[in-house]
Each structure stands twice: as structure tokens, then as C-alpha cells.
Amino acid sequence: GDIYLKRDRPDQALEAYRRASLKPTVWRKVAYAKSARLQRENKNLAEAASLFAQALDEEGPEKNAGLQFEIAEVLQESGARDDAIEAYTKVYYLYPEEKELCVKALLRISQLYEDGDDVPALKTILEKIASLDVPEAKYAAEKLSALEEGR
């Protein structure tokens, strides 16, 4: 599939990935993930989310935390705000060892809450980020302070 992509033949790449995903090997996970990314590029977001979910169910070298984050991104791109929030939340709770990705997921949630004018939920997420030992905690504390002051 990768060779087809390099030759700008995405349809054949998808078919190669599909065939690879049918074989009971550790590469099924990779094939699903690569198919999902290609579908995402083609704006077939529902199919991309489905393929990422299938990749999550397989064993293989792709990290589940990253796949879960990509599911959330696809849901966000498709306008499914609540589903995206839920998917980003899963990154935080299911993969706490992936600290950088967890913080990124929380920041995305905060943006979704801010865009939706859900100030109480936004404050809760910002408090969570501010309590972490990460560089983004300072930003979250400042944003929280600004919200408290009514700016």
C-alpha cells in the first residue's frame, strides 16, 4: 500500500491495505490505521473513524493512545462535538502513561468547551490541566484566572 501511495495511486493503496487487514497478523492494526488515515485525507470521516476503531481492537505496533486521539480528531472534524469530547476524554483516562498526548487531548477538550460557550465545563478542564506538572499548566491557570475575573 505504501508503494502505491508513493506512486500517487491511493485507490490501489486502499485495496492493498484492505487485503492486508484481512490477514491474521500483527500488521492488521497497521493496515487499518493506514487505511483510516487515507480515508481521513479523502474526507471520508465516518469510514476513517470506523477503521481507526477497528485498529484499536487489533494487536500490533501502532499505539492505541495515538489511534484513540486520531478517532477524536476525526470526530471533531466531522462536527460531532460531544463524541469528540468523549473520545479525547478516553485518551486521558485510558492512557495516562502518554502524558503529552493526554495534555493535548485535554487542551482540545477545553477548546471545544470554549467554542461551545460551556464555561463551567471549560473551568473544570482548565483546573485539571493547571493541576498537572506540565508546561501547559501555566497557560491553563492564566486562562482560568481570566475566566474567574470575567474577561
Side-chain angles (χ1 to χ4, degrees):
D2 293 350
I3 292 169
Y4 287 124
L5 276 181
K6 287 180 183 175
R7 294 184 177 166
D8 199 29
R9 294 160 67 181
D11 291 341
Q12 289 174 308
L14 271 175
E15 179 56 27
Y17 295 143
R18 186 194 66 75
R19 283 194 315 270
S21 69
L22 297 175
K23 297 179 181 175
T25 69
V26 295
W27 298 109
R28 286 174 76 149
K29 185 177 199 95
V30 173
Y32 280 129
K34 288 185 177 203
S35 293
R37 291 181 188 115
L38 192 50
Q39 292 290 8
R40 182 179 179 188
E41 281 180 31
N42 293 330
K43 302 297 181 205
N44 299 325
L45 300 178
E47 182 65 16
S50 174
L51 289 164
F52 278 128
Q54 287 177 287
L56 273 178
D57 290 338
E58 298 293 332
E59 292 294 322
E62 291 272 343
K63 288 189 170 189
N64 282 349
L67 292 170
Q68 181 64 49
F69 190 87
E70 287 183 276
I71 289 171
E73 287 182 314
V74 167
L75 291 169
Q76 184 176 359
E77 288 171 28
S78 69
R81 178 185 171 272
D82 292 341
D83 291 337
I85 289 170
E86 182 180 333
Y88 284 126
T89 302
K90 284 182 181 180
V91 172
Y92 179 76
Y93 284 107
L94 295 178
Y95 309 103
E97 70 281 0
E98 298 289 338
K99 194 172 187 177
E100 189 175 306
L101 201 55
C102 287
V103 171
K104 192 173 178 180
L106 290 174
L107 289 169
R108 294 281 178 94
I109 293 168
S110 73
Q111 186 62 55
L112 287 165
Y113 283 141
E114 187 171 4
D115 291 347
D117 290 326
D118 189 344
V119 176
L122 174 59
K123 285 181 179 180
T124 301
I125 291 297
L126 290 173
E127 288 168 355
K128 188 172 296 217
I129 298 168
S131 72
L132 299 173
D133 184 23
V134 295
E136 295 84 355
K138 182 180 178 191
Y139 160 80
E142 290 171 358
K143 185 101 173 150
L144 192 57
S145 179
L147 282 172
E148 303 272 329
E149 292 174 10
R151 289 191 256 158

